[in-house]
Amino acid sequence: NRKEVAKARVDLGGTIEEAKILTGDPYLKVAEVAEINEAIAHALETLRQARDLVSPDGTTYLRQANYAELQQAIDALRRLIDKYSKIAADRAGDRNRRTGGASGGGNSSSGRGSRLLTPGEKSQQNTAINENSNVRAFVLGVDGAWETNPVTGGWSFVLNGGTPINDMWGMITFNDNTGKKVSRWYYFDGRSTMATGWVYDSKNGNWYYMNTTPGPELGQMVTGWVKDEKTNKWYYMNDNTGILETGWHLDKQDGRWYYLNQNGEMLVGWQNIGGKWYYFNANAPQNTYVWDANAFKWNYLNNSTRPFGSMYAGEKTPDGYSVDANGAWN
C-alpha cells in the first residue's frame, strides 16, 4: 500500500498546516490553542516516522508509521479542527449579533491561510478579502482590551480568548475623546508589546513610525510629517501606507518641494543632488505647521513664514545666489 501511505503523508502534512492556521484565530482561548498544538506535535511525530526511520537522537531505529497510523493522526487532528472552527465561528457570530459589525476574526476549515494586512489598506477591502479568515482588525471592548504586559511593562492588546496580539500589525477601532469612532494601526512585537518609535517590517522591507507621545495616541502609526525627537530630524511617512519616503517630496499642503535622503531625513541648507545644487530653507522663525490631534496629522498654517526644509525656486537664496524655477543653482 505504498501509494496509500504516500497519499496519507501528503494529507497529514496539509492537515497539520490547516491546524497551525487555526491556532491564530483570535476567538480561541489559550487552553484551546494549547490542545491543538499538542495534537499538531503528535501529528508531526507521526509524519516524521513515516519519512525517517532514525530517531531524533540518531541512535534508535524506529518502525515506519503505516497507513492506519497516518490516517489515525489525520482523523484526530481533523476532529479538533472541525470542533474549534465551529466554536470560533459561533463566537464570531455572537460578536456580530451583538455589534452588527463584521467579524474581527475567525477561521474557516477550508485550509485557506490568513493574510497579514499591511498599513494603508482600506478596511472595506480587508473585510472582503478576509471574510471568515484571521482578520487583523479588532474593536476595543468587543474583541479585546488593552492590558499592561507583565514581562515588558509595555502595552498589549489581549483578545477575549486570552491571547495577546503578537508579532503582527493590528488595526484597532475605538472611540476617540470626541466620541468619534476611529481606526488606527499598531504594531506588536514578538513579545506581544505595542511598538513605539521606528518599526522595521522585515516582511515588506519598509520603515514605519509609531507615535511616541504619551497619552491616547501612543503607539499609533503616523502618516505625514514626523519629527524624531531623538535625532531632531524631520521625516515624511506616506499619507496612505505610512511607509517612510525618500527622495523628492512635493507637499500637498504647502505646495513646496522637499528632499529626503536615503535614510528619509529631510535635508536643509545647500545640497548637491544629482550633480546640481539646491537650497532648502534652514531657518523658520515661527511655526508653519501645527499638530491636529483629532486628525492625527500636521496642518499647514499658511502664514508668511517659509516652511523649514522647503526648497527655494525662481528666487535668491539667503546668501544671495539665484536659483532657477526648478530650484537649481546655475
Side-chain angles (χ1 to χ4, degrees), residues 172-192:
I172 299 176
T173 299
F174 56 94
N175 292 330
D176 65 12
N177 56 10
T178 68
K180 179 183 177 182
K181 183 175 290 187
V182 296
S183 297
R184 297 284 186 260
W185 282 104
Y186 297 83
Y187 186 81
F188 298 87
D189 64 21
R191 296 194 294 174
S192 305

Side-chain angles (χ1 to χ4, degrees), residues 155-201:
W155 286 101
S156 295
F157 191 81
V158 181
L159 301 171
N160 292 338
T163 303
I165 299 177
N166 185 71
D167 191 24
M168 59 177 270
W169 289 97
M171 177 181 278
I172 299 176
T173 299
F174 56 94
N175 292 330
D176 65 12
N177 56 10
T178 68
K180 179 183 177 182
K181 183 175 290 187
V182 296
S183 297
R184 297 284 186 260
W185 282 104
Y186 297 83
Y187 186 81
F188 298 87
D189 64 21
R191 296 194 294 174
S192 305
T193 303
M194 179 189 74
T196 59
W198 290 105
V199 166
Y200 178 72
D201 189 336

Side-chain angles (χ1 to χ4, degrees), residues 257-259 266-268 280-283 306-311:
W257 284 97
Y258 298 79
Y259 193 81
M266 183 189 75
L267 300 183
V268 297
F280 301 89
N281 187 32
N283 180 38
R306 180 189 296 270
F308 183 63
S310 60
M311 184 189 74

Side-chain angles (χ1 to χ4, degrees), residues 2-24:
R2 289 184 178 179
K3 289 185 178 180
E4 288 183 335
V5 170
K7 183 178 184 303
R9 289 177 187 172
V10 174
D11 291 345
L12 181 55
T15 307
I16 289 171
E17 292 306 311
E18 190 175 340
K20 287 180 178 179
I21 292 170
L22 182 59
T23 60

Side-chain angles (χ1 to χ4, degrees), residues 115-123 125-127 129-130 134-137 168-171 185 201:
R115 174 173 175 267
L116 179 64
L117 307 181
T118 56
E121 292 183 299
K122 296 180 180 178
S123 58
Q125 183 184 31
N126 294 345
T127 302
I129 291 176
N130 293 280
N134 192 12
V135 182
R136 267 62 171 178
M168 59 177 270
W169 289 97
M171 177 181 278
W185 282 104
D201 189 336

